[in-house]
């Protein structure tokens, strides 16, 4: 089993005060907010990158609301989608920053 510190990532307690998040909650309520955080959790588990496929994402976060998942990903500038060798990849800049900081701390401690 993974060490507990490997299962942790920083969660900003004021994330819901960000303008993008306010718009997300205004339009999709707390379900949209929950979808956002479930995707972020999965990105952390997957080293910052997941395949951009609504069916896979829907299954991974245990939500069947594919239209809301699509809106959360595409309409609020919270995620980036890019092409890697013909495959669409989803990421989030904050997740990548968290993972980079974690690696730097680990390397420094070593």
């Amino acid at each position: 089993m993974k060490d507990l510190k490997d299962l942790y990532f920083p969660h900003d307690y004021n994330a819901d005060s960000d303008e993008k998040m306010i718009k997300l909650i205004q339009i999709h309520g707390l379900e949209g907010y929950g979808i956002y955080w479930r995707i972020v959790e999965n990105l952390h588990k997957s080293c910052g990158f997941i395949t951009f496929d609504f069916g896979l994402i829907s299954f991974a976060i245990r939500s069947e609301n594919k239209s809301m998942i699509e809106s959360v990903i595409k309409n609020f500038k919270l995620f980036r989608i890019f092409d890697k060798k013909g495959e669409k990849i989803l990421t989030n800049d904050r997740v990548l920053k968290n993972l980079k900081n974690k690696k730097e701390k680990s390397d420094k401690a070593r």
Side-chain angles (χ1 to χ4, degrees), residues 4-5 7 10 12-13 33 38 41 46-47 53 55 78 82 89 94 101 104 107 110:
L4 285 178
K5 67 182 174 195
L7 302 175
D12 300 331
Y13 67 86
Y33 189 66
R38 289 291 291 138
E41 289 167 358
S46 301
C47 300
D53 175 299
L78 296 165
F82 65 93
I89 303 295
R94 179 61 188 222
N101 290 341
E104 287 172 355
D107 290 348
R110 202 172 300 147

Side-chain angles (χ1 to χ4, degrees), residues 21-51:
M21 297 301 274
I22 291 170
K23 286 184 179 200
L24 171 70
I25 295 167
Q26 179 184 26
I27 292 170
H28 293 302
L30 292 178
E31 182 179 358
Y33 189 66
I35 286 171
Y36 167 79
W37 281 110
R38 289 291 291 138
I39 295 169
V40 166
E41 289 167 358
N42 277 275
L43 284 167
H44 276 90
K45 286 188 256 184
S46 301
C47 300
F49 304 96
I50 58 176
T51 302

